[in-house]
Amino acid sequence: MELGARISDDYRDDPPILVNVLKGGIIFMADLIRATDISVEIDFMEVSSYGDGTESSGVVRILEDLSLSITDRHVLIVEDIVDTGLTLHYILENLETRHPKSIRICTLLDRRGRREIDLQLDYVGFVVPDKFVIGYGLDLAQKYRNLPHIAVLEDEEIP
Ligand code: IMP
């Protein structure tokens, strides 16, 4: 995988902690780390949006925090899809308070047409149109994560 090679080259001298935001990014993360040839460490964080859950509000509750300290370490956040960017913006602000050496973002999918907050995405797999996608870890109400490919749900509104 091309992204794994780029990440390996960029962090050859000081390997990062890859932080996966559960749950959608697990399959991508699993494939991504196998495509690296540096000694990365991995950690996980689970978040959920406050509110009625139908819209990304950007106010996020941490359900499961990192187990590793990221202070003075390079951090690479691994996401399944960046949509409005609100969730990631919150996570970035939260992680910044722990004084990492750097934070970059790697996302498999970038639905940039719906962005509400300007974020710098350092590694992007694919830019996708404004359609709801499932499979390869991505869910609709917790289902379809096990599809081996990414599929578009034509009739599904993006919440
Ligand atoms: P954001 O805060 O709007 O950028 O929301 C990002 C999160 O919403 C992602 O990490 C996904 O968990 C979820 N999400 C956004 N779009 C989709 C989709 O098309 N399929 C499945 N999950 C999605």
Side-chain angles (χ1 to χ4, degrees):
M1 197 204 287
E2 208 181 294
L3 287 173
R6 272 182 56 206
I7 289 166
S8 302
D9 287 346
D10 292 351
Y11 290 100
R12 181 92 40 211
D13 298 334
D14 194 355
I17 298 175
L18 269 57
V19 169
N20 188 210
V21 184
L22 294 170
K23 306 172 184 166
I26 53 157
I27 297 180
F28 176 47
M29 174 88 149
D31 283 343
L32 183 67
I33 60 172
R34 281 180 286 189
T36 61
D37 64 357
I38 52 173
S39 64
V40 295
E41 288 168 62
I42 62 170
D43 207 346
F44 299 90
M45 195 167 179
E46 185 168 11
V47 298
S48 93
S49 286
Y50 270 123
D52 61 8
T54 57
E55 236 171 78
S56 191
S57 62
V59 183
V60 170
R61 193 157 49 110
I62 295 180
L63 301 180
E64 187 71 46
D65 204 351
L66 300 177
S67 64
L68 300 175
S69 165
I70 58 167
T71 303
D72 212 25
R73 294 291 310 271
H74 291 301
V75 171
L76 182 60
I77 299 177
V78 178
E79 263 282 17
D80 50 354
I81 182 165
V82 181
D83 187 39
T84 63
L86 292 169
T87 309
L88 205 46
H89 177 73
Y90 176 89
I91 292 171
L92 277 173
E93 288 207 322
N94 182 290
L95 296 185
E96 289 285 3
T97 65
R98 309 179 198 189
H99 305 294
K101 229 181 241 178
S102 71
I103 304 186
R104 286 186 185 165
I105 300 166
C106 175
T107 186
L108 175 63
L109 305 177
D110 176 7
R111 198 193 284 122
R112 55 181 63 162
R114 281 173 38 96
R115 197 79 84 251
E116 289 180 24
I117 282 197
D118 196 26
L119 287 175
Q120 184 187 332
L121 303 182
D122 303 281
Y123 306 94
V124 174
F126 304 95
V127 176
V128 290
D130 293 359
K131 306 254 184 190
F132 197 85
V133 288
I134 52 164
Y136 193 72
L138 289 132
D139 72 309
L140 172 66
Q142 301 301 325
K143 285 201 271 187
Y144 309 116
R145 293 192 198 274
N146 56 324
L147 290 180
H149 51 269
I150 291 174
V152 171
L153 274 178
E154 284 290 350
D155 299 329
E156 194 63 36
E157 286 280 315
I158 306 168

